[in-house]
Amino acid sequence: MTAEALAEAGRLLAAATRPVVFTGAGMSAESGVPTFRDARTGLWQRYDPSRLATPAAFHADPALVWGWYEGRRHGVRRAEPNPGHRAVAAIQARLPGTVVITQNVDDLHERGGVPGAVRLHGSLFAPRCSACAHPAPVPDDAPPPEGPLDPPACVRCAAPVRPGVVWFGEALPEEALGAAAEAASRCDLLLTVGTSALVHPAAEIPLVAARLGAPVVQVNPEPTPLDAVCAVNLRGRAGDVLPALVRVAWPADAGD
Ligand code: OAD
């Protein structure tokens, strides 16, 4: 990341009034939450998504799927927001028109000071009945499962409870997708952080903003398909780049 690129991104951010911050798994990587597609550490390098992240997988082996997501939920509970999450909260505090849209199913934006992020892919903390969709409370924090674990039964209809995340082949929550598309179409800056931008329709959100003329600033150590539409590309880690970006955008706040 060059000083010029950071300065230009800081100028765009300081001039914005209704930015969108669009985040993916890289946002939480420095908190110790694994991403999906990073070459050595990504979850989908180690696990087969067709056995864990589809409705058919849950139907075939509910205990395998429930145990795996419970393991991830325990991992997230042990994680802490990183300086990148805190920098997003600082942006929202500075620019109250900021809309945070996340593909992440952890709760680190909330714990990092951003209430009400638009969740495109659901949450590890919102299980629901697989048949009637009745919300099921997050299970008590028993020790993390060592492997497969039978899901609890729905209190209303006794069908197995499922994780509250969006699986491959499922539609995104309509309200969240509508809110995200609306925010992207009226934003005056879109800051995309830590996403490979390979999973659709979520990956269209930055493209909507770009198509309507909003500058796109990207924070990612690696190239992505969004490079082509970026006004500024900040190559680096969210936990380093975002605090630096906030300092450059509002130098007078330094030391607050
Ligand atoms: P990916 O794992 O596909 O991409 C993570 C991105 O983060 C990559 O582009 C990395 O280069 C980047 N990255 C890694 N470390 C970083 C860091 N410290 N700072 C900034 N960037 C970093 O994750 P997503 O794009 O979020 O779907 O994946 C999209 C969806 O695919 C997920 O929401 C999930 C998955 O299947 C569901 O759960 C439905």
Side-chain angles (χ1 to χ4, degrees), residues 188-205:
D188 51 6
L189 170 71
L190 189 136
L191 179 60
T192 173
V193 183
T195 179
S196 61
L198 292 172
V199 175
H200 290 258
E204 267 125 65
I205 295 299

Side-chain angles (χ1 to χ4, degrees), residues 70-98:
E70 275 297 277
R72 282 181 59 199
R73 189 176 67 80
H74 275 85
V76 165
R77 281 193 75 241
R78 287 191 300 269
E80 294 294 336
N82 67 56
H85 293 104
R86 298 223 165 73
V88 175
I91 292 171
Q92 197 172 53
R94 257 294 185 165
L95 306 172
T98 304

Side-chain angles (χ1 to χ4, degrees), residues 119-209:
R119 300 191 150 279
L120 291 178
H121 289 165
S123 165
L124 289 170
F125 297 89
R128 65 177 188 274
C129 174
S130 59
C132 73
H134 189 62
V138 176
D140 286 343
D141 270 313
E146 300 284 323
L149 178 70
D150 283 329
C154 173
V155 292
R156 202 158 73 176
C157 76
V161 167
R162 59 161 283 173
V165 304
V166 175
W167 283 327
F168 290 105
E170 292 188 312
L172 270 54
E174 221 170 277
E175 202 179 315
L177 188 57
E182 148 84 15
S185 63
R186 56 184 297 279
C187 74
D188 51 6
L189 170 71
L190 189 136
L191 179 60
T192 173
V193 183
T195 179
S196 61
L198 292 172
V199 175
H200 290 258
E204 267 125 65
I205 295 299
L207 300 177
V208 168

